[in-house]
Amino acid sequence: EVQLVESGGGLVQPGGSLRLSCAASGFTFSTYSMNWVRQAPGKGLEWVSYISSSSSTIYYADSVQGRFTISRDNVKNSLFLQMNSLRDEDTAVYYCARLGGYLIDYWGQGTLVTVSS
Amino acid sequence: DIQMSQSPSTLSASVGDRVTITCRASQSISSWLAWYQQKPGKAPKLLIYKASSLESGVPSRFSGSGSGTKFTLTISSLQPDDFATYYCQQYNSYRYTFGQGTKLEIK
């Protein structure tokens, strides 16, 4: 069974940093590209970042470019999102999502990040 | 970036009704479109991929159609479990974009 379990969310002040993790199991993590997708409270879904299986290709949404860094550890079956210079508008549930080909086919349960003073 | 727009934003319907949600892309995405269902406090669940392919385990009352820039999700006979929010999403490029969502409410 595919499982994606996010952790690392919490309350942080504006300008602060946070590192999210996603532990993957039930599939060969090293062969799949992964995404981070977020959802602000009461709002829709917003794609945040993409990383290929080998980490050779990475993309970011314009809203987080230069502040967020995606990475992965294929030995530890883990995906990460380093978030710096956090803003109020980064408050959201952050989902780790697996790509089956180009399609998001599995989602984690999400971790809440709250940016507030 | 490719913009996705859904209509309506809210839809009120009754159990047994047939409902259709429309999704439009700002440029052609061929058939690279997915539909997701999301319930409060839960992660999205994949329903339809490649515009019209039903994900394994999804009831056959769900169907998708369209290509290019216009797509539809149809639920043939609403069941109580179907009241949720539905999102379309294009995966024509890695800069994925979602529709704003359609909340399906009980009339």
Side-chain angles (χ1 to χ4, degrees):
Chain A
E1 179 192 5
V2 172
Q3 287 200 332
L4 300 168
V5 180
E6 301 93 337
S7 60
L11 176 63
V12 61
Q13 292 187 337
S17 298
L18 214 53
R19 188 189 195 214
L20 305 184
S21 300
C22 172
S25 61
F27 65 103
T28 306
F29 180 72
S30 62
T31 65
Y32 285 84
S33 299
M34 300 292 293
N35 274 349
W36 287 99
V37 178
R38 68 184 181 183
Q39 186 171 34
K43 301 298 184 181
L45 299 162
E46 179 189 16
W47 169 77
V48 172
S49 185
Y50 161 92
I51 187 168
S52 63
S53 58
S54 64
S55 303
S56 61
T57 302
I58 287 174
Y59 299 107
Y60 298 100
D62 290 344
S63 56
V64 306
Q65 180 77 49
R67 301 187 298 121
F68 289 12
T69 302
I70 191 171
S71 62
R72 63 190 296 161
D73 184 332
N74 285 344
V75 173
K76 295 183 178 179
N77 293 338
S78 294
L79 177 71
F80 305 101
L81 186 68
Q82 177 66 44
M83 303 186 297
N84 298 331
S85 303
L86 282 161
R87 305 167 180 169
D88 291 350
E89 56 265 34
D90 295 319
T91 294
V93 174
Y94 285 74
Y95 294 102
C96 162
R98 190 185 85 163
L99 290 179
Y102 302 107
L103 174 69
I104 298 176
D105 58 0
Y106 284 96
W107 302 66
Q109 86 290 349
T111 187
L112 176 62
V113 172
T114 303
V115 184
S116 175
S117 54
Chain B
D1 290 358
I2 299 172
Q3 306 302 315
M4 307 299 293
S5 61
Q6 281 180 241
S7 61
S9 297
T10 306
L11 181 56
S12 296
S14 302
V15 173
D17 285 354
R18 177 185 180 91
V19 298
T20 297
I21 299 169
T22 299
C23 177
R24 285 186 164 84
S26 61
Q27 65 187 71
S28 177
I29 57 170
S30 185
S31 296
W32 302 115
L33 184 102
W35 289 96
Y36 298 90
Q37 178 193 67
Q38 188 179 36
K39 296 183 177 179
K42 300 294 186 181
K45 172 189 172 184
L46 178 63
L47 300 176
I48 301 283
Y49 62 96
K50 211 170 180 184
S52 61
S53 296
L54 192 67
E55 173 71 350
S56 176
V58 174
S60 59
R61 63 181 180 271
F62 291 92
S63 64
S65 66
S67 66
T69 62
K70 185 179 177 183
F71 304 86
T72 59
L73 172 70
T74 298
I75 309 172
S76 60
S77 179
L78 274 173
Q79 299 302 301
D81 190 50
D82 300 338
F83 293 94
T85 299
Y86 293 84
Y87 293 94
C88 63
Q89 180 236 329
Q90 66 81 17
Y91 54 107
N92 182 70
S93 77
Y94 283 120
R95 299 181 71 84
Y96 298 85
T97 45
F98 295 85
Q100 80 277 16
T102 295
K103 186 175 183 180
L104 183 50
E105 300 179 329
I106 300 174
K107 183 184 287 185

